[in-house]
Amino acid sequence: MSAEEECNCKPCKPGLPAWLATFGDLMSLLMCFFVLLLSFSEMDVLRFKQLAGSMREAFGVQAQIKVEDIPKGTSIIAQEFSPGRPEPTPLNEVRQMTTNVELHTLDVRSMEGEAIVHDRESAVDQQQQQEQEEQARQDAITFSMALSAEIGEGAVEVETEGTKVIIRLREQGSFARGSAYVEDDYIPVLAKIRDVLITIPGAVAIEGHTDSIPYTGTEFTSNWDLSAARALAVAHELFADRRVNESRFTVSGHASSRARVPNDSEANRARNRRVEIIIERGLDEQALPIQTRPEGDTEGERLTPRDIF
């Protein structure tokens, strides 16, 4: 028997079945319908980010680590006991999620606590400031009692400025006009100041001042030289006593740059021509040691401006 006789089925028609064309059209229409729905919709970005964040917290996000980093992991033994040194991984690529928990410092602060500490420090500083100002007033009273006669004559002025005691030596009686020689009659006045100054701790500044009239003499080049020479002459008179500690002192000349009053009259210019001795107590003030001079020094030796410059 031949093959055609053995097959009882009818021969198939060539081509695809007719229902497949209808099914393809239906799928195409459905796809276009959903594409139109998606194009008409609006995406809420905020809700999308919230959803993505929730999924990240729930499932975690894998982070890539460089190959040279040592793999990190946690275990019960590592949490309860000191961890050992991990062995290097033989893998060429390492991908692992890690969290940096190596905190070297712990900073716990409170706004209320900081305010309380600041208030306490301010109260302590204010109390120290008040004590130093009161001590400066007592020192000024001591100088005023020792120089009562000179203050009455108008040759010396004593006043306080905060924690400073200012002894102001007027030109009248102390120096001749345009000269840096301390008058002989004024030496006992400086001796009185020195006797009180030895008993009072603190830094001492000696400052020379002049008026605004330019210097016309031949001994100095300007008022700057004259003011510095007068301040240095007063300093050397104080240094004549071996008990004076010279490391406490600074000497400077300011010419007419720090006038007390305007230089518009002879009386005001006379007030500006002065030498000031300023004593200031420090916060951590201690009694300064008494300095002694070498045996070769002559006590009470006076220096002239020619010796100074």
Side-chain angles (χ1 to χ4, degrees), residues 169 171-172 176-179 208-217 222-228 230 253-275:
L169 310 179
E171 184 189 50
Q172 177 185 359
R177 186 70 176 271
S179 173
H209 304 271
T210 63
D211 56 21
S212 60
I213 298 178
Y215 179 78
T216 57
S222 66
N223 284 333
W224 289 97
D225 294 340
L226 176 60
S227 61
R230 286 183 172 181
H254 300 282
S256 60
S257 61
R258 298 185 181 181
R260 295 186 61 205
V261 293
N263 290 283
D264 52 4
S265 64
E266 181 60 31
N268 288 349
R269 285 191 290 269
R271 294 185 61 186
N272 290 330
R273 295 192 297 269
R274 68 199 187 277
V275 175

Side-chain angles (χ1 to χ4, degrees), residues 189-220:
V189 179
L190 295 178
K192 293 180 182 180
I193 297 174
R194 179 177 56 218
D195 292 339
V196 179
L197 195 59
I198 292 173
T199 63
I200 297 178
V204 182
I206 303 177
E207 301 179 354
H209 304 271
T210 63
D211 56 21
S212 60
I213 298 178
Y215 179 78
T216 57
T218 59
E219 192 171 3
F220 305 100

Side-chain angles (χ1 to χ4, degrees), residues 8 14-15 18 33 88 101 108 136 144 149 169 182 187 195 198 238 291 296 307:
N8 298 322
F33 175 74
V101 294
V108 180
S144 299
L169 310 179
V182 178
I187 300 300
D195 292 339
I198 292 173
L238 298 178
Q291 176 178 346
D307 299 326

Side-chain angles (χ1 to χ4, degrees), residues 97-132:
M97 179 179 177
T98 60
T99 304
N100 185 12
V101 294
E102 299 176 358
L103 300 179
H104 301 285
T105 59
L106 179 62
D107 190 3
V108 180
R109 296 185 179 181
S110 171
M111 297 298 294
E112 294 79 3
E114 290 184 353
I116 293 174
V117 172
H118 182 270
D119 293 341
R120 290 179 179 176
E121 292 178 351
S122 300
V124 172
D125 294 341
Q126 186 176 2
Q127 182 178 1
Q128 292 179 350
Q129 181 75 11
Q130 293 176 355
E131 292 177 355
Q132 292 174 5

Side-chain angles (χ1 to χ4, degrees), residues 241-248 288-294:
D241 194 322
R242 295 181 180 180
R243 296 174 298 170
V244 176
N245 186 359
E246 298 182 8
S247 62
R248 300 171 54 189
L288 297 176
I290 296 177
Q291 176 178 346
T292 59
R293 297 178 182 276

